[in-house]
Amino acid sequence: MSSVDIPREQWATRFGFIFAAVGSAVGLGNIWRFPFQVGQGGGAAFLLIYLLFVAFVGFPAILVEFVVGRYTERNPVGALREIGSGLWQYLGWIFIVTTFVILSYYSVVAGWTIRYTILGLQNGYLADAAEAEGQFVTLATGLEAIAFHALFMASVVVIVAYGIQRGIELAVKVLVPLIVVITVGMAVYASTLEGASEAYAYYLSPEWGTIAAEWTSILPAAAGQAFFTLSLGMGIMITYASYLGEDRNLAEDGAIIIGFDTAIAFITGLIVFPILFTAGVDPGAPGAGAIFVSLAAAFGDLTLGWLMGAVFFGTVAIAALSSAISLMEVVIAYLIDERDIDRTRATLGVGVVLFLLGIPSASDLVLLDLFDLFADQILLVLGGLLLMILVGWSLANLAVDELELGIGDLGSLGAAWIWAVRVPVVVVLFVALALGVIQYYEFLTVDFADWLADQ
């Protein structure tokens, strides 16, 4: 039987798709990466640039991925092979590679969240910042980190193996509402802390001088964060949209998904920064483990901090799971569509490979930074940029026609969307990519070179 003869699964309900897409977007990008990106970017200065990216780059871009996925009903590789020609047909492989790189270390970080949830229940957070950092290094690397990486990856495999309706859709219908309820509740708790007013000023009142002085570092970080948290540039939204019917209003669904995702990221800031300021912890500490060290030290200094920490890190673990299943589904959809491999066998095989690829990240934090920066500031933006160029300049009529299904005649709005993709989105992504490459080169020649010298 050829792959085109295999009946393709679809979402059972509209909310199933929306929850899955929201679950993909609301993950470690919102709760792990977002706070320390805001901290390193100067607080509200980063937040402002990030929100502009989400509105004026993220929304047009997510519609591009939606129309490509629904039109082709294929995974990223199959979709780009169908609509692309020449070298463009290989663009889908960038998405597959990006997914593999991200999920390999994503699972490691998600394992940390499970470990820190347990640590909270053991009342094990250390209030001293130096001790908290030492504790993190011990827990985040070595055999224990590898074991929790394996536990998390096994959880992802089980859910994805059950398929779209019985696995992914069923899981996200439980996970996403749970994430929303807990984060809102914790934001209310954080507002009662004594450092809340100072934290809100830092988080919500941008200093224009910071933007003017630091825009070359804020711009690529904000672009990468917007793409990371919206699951763009990974092929996820292409894959998820491939399971949609033609009667769906893609623009409405896209707005709902982005609204939910951005709200959760914003609320996370309302949780994290009051906790950090109350405990007197620096919100701008660098590195992938910054939020774990800073928050653990803060929770260790608060009354009932062990309980709040367990709830917080448990929520992060749930969010990570909802995102990880979407990352794995990109690769599984490729193996099912293009290689006629049974879903269960494909999922088990991919899970084992990803576990092995994640071992270096679980062994050394510098290697995790190496993969994270490469995926975040180069691969995500590169894949997104090339897809925007292809669809905006070569497939404009096809894209508008597909977007109009389920909506009706868009008239001038369709042209406005295409021109937004063609010019501002492409230009911003190109600049962000160039700056990202420069920053990654600096990382390789300084931090990574120092690490190699010490080996």
Side-chain angles (χ1 to χ4, degrees):
M1 179 183 290
S2 67
S3 60
V4 295
D5 293 327
I6 297 176
R8 189 168 185 79
E9 290 187 86
Q10 288 199 341
W11 302 105
T13 65
R14 180 191 184 198
F15 283 110
F17 163 65
I18 290 176
F19 278 179
V22 169
S24 172
V26 177
L28 290 181
N30 295 72
I31 309 177
W32 163 56
R33 297 188 83 260
F34 180 71
F36 82 75
Q37 290 279 15
V38 172
Q40 291 178 40
F46 180 91
L47 176 64
L48 177 61
I49 301 299
Y50 166 76
L51 292 176
L52 291 174
F53 263 110
V54 169
F56 296 106
V57 177
F59 183 63
I62 201 172
L63 294 183
V64 169
E65 295 206 13
F66 279 172
V67 298
V68 169
R70 188 174 70 176
Y71 175 79
T72 61
E73 297 185 356
R74 311 297 291 175
N75 63 89
V77 172
L80 271 298
R81 184 183 297 124
E82 180 174 331
I83 64 175
S85 59
L87 293 177
W88 288 111
Q89 65 182 310
Y90 301 108
L91 173 57
W93 282 105
I94 294 180
F95 297 124
I96 298 294
V97 171
T98 302
T99 300
F100 253 91
V101 173
I102 290 176
L103 191 50
S104 68
Y105 71 80
Y106 194 100
S107 178
V108 174
V109 178
W112 298 348
T113 68
I114 299 173
R115 183 65 186 91
Y116 267 75
T117 302
I118 297 172
L119 188 66
L121 296 176
Q122 296 171 331
N123 196 16
Y125 299 132
L126 302 177
D128 181 83
E131 292 180 355
E133 184 172 2
Q135 181 184 55
F136 170 74
V137 172
T138 300
L139 297 178
T141 57
L143 292 178
E144 188 171 10
I146 293 173
F148 279 98
H149 162 47
L151 174 62
F152 182 83
M153 184 57 66
S155 302
V156 176
V157 167
V158 169
I159 293 174
V160 176
Y162 273 99
I164 296 300
Q165 294 185 15
R166 294 186 302 128
I168 297 174
E169 186 168 350
L170 183 62
V172 296
K173 283 181 177 179
V174 175
L175 298 178
V176 172
L178 188 60
I179 294 167
V180 172
V181 170
I182 295 175
T183 52
V184 170
M186 288 203 69
V188 173
Y189 158 78
S191 70
T192 66
L193 299 176
E194 63 182 30
S197 59
E198 185 182 1
Y200 293 157
Y202 169 83
Y203 184 47
L204 303 177
S205 300
E207 295 182 5
W208 305 110
T210 300
I211 297 176
E214 303 293 338
W215 71 272
T216 55
S217 60
I218 293 176
L219 184 64
Q225 175 63 24
F227 264 57
F228 192 105
T229 189
L230 292 175
S231 297
L232 298 173
M234 310 178 196
I236 291 173
M237 295 306 175
I238 293 176
T239 303
Y240 273 13
S242 73
Y243 303 119
L244 285 174
E246 294 182 350
D247 59 335
R248 301 291 279 276
N249 186 325
L250 297 181
E252 186 177 274
D253 288 354
I256 292 172
I257 291 163
I258 286 179
F260 263 106
D261 173 73
T262 306
I264 294 297
F266 179 77
I267 292 171
T268 300
L270 298 178
I271 298 170
V272 170
F273 294 114
I275 292 172
L276 295 180
F277 274 80
T278 298
V281 177
D282 178 17
I291 201 65
F292 288 88
V293 175
S294 300
L295 276 177
F299 285 129
D301 195 45
L302 295 177
T303 302
L304 293 179
W306 64 271
L307 178 59
M308 292 299 103
V311 172
F312 178 83
F313 286 115
T315 306
V316 181
I318 294 170
L321 182 60
S322 68
S323 292
I325 58 180
S326 67
L327 285 163
M328 182 173 283
E329 180 61 23
V330 173
V331 184
I332 301 307
Y334 162 75
L335 294 174
I336 293 173
D337 290 346
E338 311 299 322
R339 302 297 179 186
D340 292 345
I341 298 177
D342 172 75
R343 174 175 283 274
T344 301
R345 289 195 299 118
T347 307
L348 287 172
V350 169
V352 170
V353 173
L354 285 168
F355 166 71
L356 295 175
L357 289 176
I359 290 177
S361 295
S363 302
D364 198 294
L365 295 175
V366 173
L367 294 178
L368 190 146
D369 280 334
L370 179 75
F371 297 132
D372 179 39
L373 289 172
F374 180 59
D376 172 49
Q377 298 195 13
I378 296 179
L379 286 180
L380 284 179
V381 183
L382 175 62
L385 172 63
L386 293 177
L387 185 63
M388 298 306 115
I389 293 173
L390 172 62
V391 173
W393 288 100
S394 300
L395 303 169
N397 292 335
L398 180 153
V400 172
D401 289 345
E402 183 64 30
L403 185 62
E404 289 179 336
L405 296 177
I407 300 177
D409 183 19
L410 289 171
S412 60
L413 290 177
W417 168 55
I418 286 298
W419 278 105
V421 172
R422 284 175 171 174
V423 181
V425 172
V426 166
V427 170
V428 168
L429 289 179
F430 179 80
V431 173
L433 177 62
L435 294 173
V437 169
I438 293 172
Q439 287 192 12
Y440 193 64
Y441 174 77
E442 292 175 349
F443 170 81
L444 291 177
T445 55
V446 179
D447 295 344
F448 188 63
D450 289 344
W451 178 83
L452 286 176
D454 292 337
Q455 299 307 302

